[in-house]
């Protein structure tokens, strides 16, 4: 794979990670507000929290992979 193609792939992966982070936080906040307004039990709030946490952990793993790939390209 050429260097430019690899850079484009890493940039695309970075954009996906950014969208996942922003989207998961926005959806999490919206679900918490809707859940509270609808009077849902606390276990649903926990479910929303765990889903957001899973998305953020996925994003963190991908950020680490991007960082490692960029470090390998430099060295």
């Amino acid at each position: 794979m050429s260097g430019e193609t690899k850079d484009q792939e890493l940039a695309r992966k970075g954009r996906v990670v950014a969208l996942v982070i922003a989207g998961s936080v926005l959806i999490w906040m919206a679900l918490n507000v809707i859940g509270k307004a609808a009077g849902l039990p606390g276990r649903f709030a926990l479910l929303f929290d765990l889903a957001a946490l899973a998305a953020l952990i996925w994003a963190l793993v991908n950020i680490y992979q991007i960082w490692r790939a960029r470090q390998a390209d430099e060295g």
Side-chain angles (χ1 to χ4, degrees):
M1 199 180 318
S2 70
E4 187 172 320
T5 305
K6 180 112 175 157
D7 286 341
Q8 289 174 345
E9 180 184 332
L10 290 175
R12 184 189 59 78
K13 194 172 184 178
R15 286 189 299 271
V16 169
V17 169
L19 288 173
V20 168
I21 291 170
S24 64
V25 170
L26 289 174
I27 290 170
W28 171 74
M29 288 181 355
L31 287 174
N32 278 312
V33 169
I34 292 168
K36 188 177 284 191
L40 292 175
R43 66 180 180 209
F44 286 104
L46 180 62
L47 179 65
F48 302 152
D49 293 346
L50 291 175
L53 187 60
L56 294 174
I57 289 172
W58 177 88
L60 185 63
V61 167
N62 278 279
I63 288 170
Y64 179 75
Q65 290 174 350
I66 292 168
W67 178 71
R68 293 291 295 171
R70 289 192 191 268
Q71 292 293 320
D73 287 345
E74 290 178 7

